[in-house]
Amino acid sequence: MIRVTDRISLDDREIKEKFVRSSGPGGQNVNKTSTAVELRFDVKSSPSLPERVRSRLMRLAGSRMNADGILVIDARQFRTQEANRKDALVRLATLIRKASEEPRLRKKTRPSAGSKERRIQTKRRRADVKRTRKAPRERTE
């Protein structure tokens, strides 16, 4: 059981891990050991996630989410399976925690009278500066 928040816990059976060969440092050892982890979590059919969290998570996941609603996290930063596994689980938990936060509603505000006045004054000053740069117009009589 993986505890994500006070109200959300994931069952270990919901998470699939696949170990693959990793690139990067490690010399010849990299060619023979599978240390990178590909973690898969089925967001669409997970009974552990409330509907609101599920929809936010699907939006947050972006390209990490495939068409079947499965979240794929690829961890290959470390040289050991255990460290990469832990990294992938932490990243999954962080993403779910972020999705579980209710977004704050935006309060509509209006500019104050003073700020409107300052804006107009600045525009007038700028117009005056530009006007003084112009060549004087010739008068036709």
Side-chain angles (χ1 to χ4, degrees), residues 14 42-48 54 68-70:
E14 291 184 72
D42 192 353
V43 177
K44 261 189 182 170
S45 61
S46 172
S48 307
R54 180 177 290 122
D68 300 326
I70 296 173

Side-chain angles (χ1 to χ4, degrees), residues 2-124:
I2 301 163
R3 195 131 182 90
V4 180
T5 65
D6 299 342
R7 296 180 180 183
I8 300 172
S9 295
L10 304 177
D11 191 2
D12 294 331
R13 290 173 291 193
E14 291 184 72
I15 297 169
K16 307 272 187 280
E17 292 170 340
K18 179 181 171 188
F19 294 98
V20 293
R21 290 211 175 117
S22 181
S23 60
Q28 290 180 3
N29 194 48
V30 155
N31 301 329
K32 61 184 183 175
T33 59
S34 300
T35 55
V37 70
E38 197 177 82
L39 184 140
R40 291 173 176 273
F41 175 65
D42 192 353
V43 177
K44 261 189 182 170
S45 61
S46 172
S48 307
L49 297 176
E51 195 53 47
R52 293 170 127 177
V53 175
R54 180 177 290 122
S55 62
R56 279 196 295 267
L57 179 59
M58 290 175 91
R59 230 176 306 121
L60 270 175
S63 63
R64 291 174 286 197
M65 181 78 65
N66 67 19
D68 300 326
I70 296 173
L71 176 67
V72 180
I73 295 178
D74 192 46
R76 54 181 67 228
Q77 183 179 356
F78 303 101
R79 288 187 182 196
T80 63
Q81 274 187 357
E82 193 52 43
N84 283 327
R85 188 175 172 274
K86 202 174 286 185
D87 180 44
L89 287 171
V90 166
R91 284 167 42 196
L92 174 66
T94 304
L95 202 59
I96 294 173
R97 224 174 274 123
K98 194 172 183 181
S100 68
E101 293 172 5
E102 287 281 333
R104 288 206 318 239
L105 291 174
R106 181 186 175 276
K107 282 185 186 175
K108 289 185 179 179
T109 58
R110 302 177 102 178
S112 66
S115 69
K116 283 182 182 176
E117 186 58 38
R118 285 189 295 276
R119 187 177 132 267
I120 301 299
Q121 288 301 323
T122 306
K123 284 167 73 85
R124 279 199 190 118

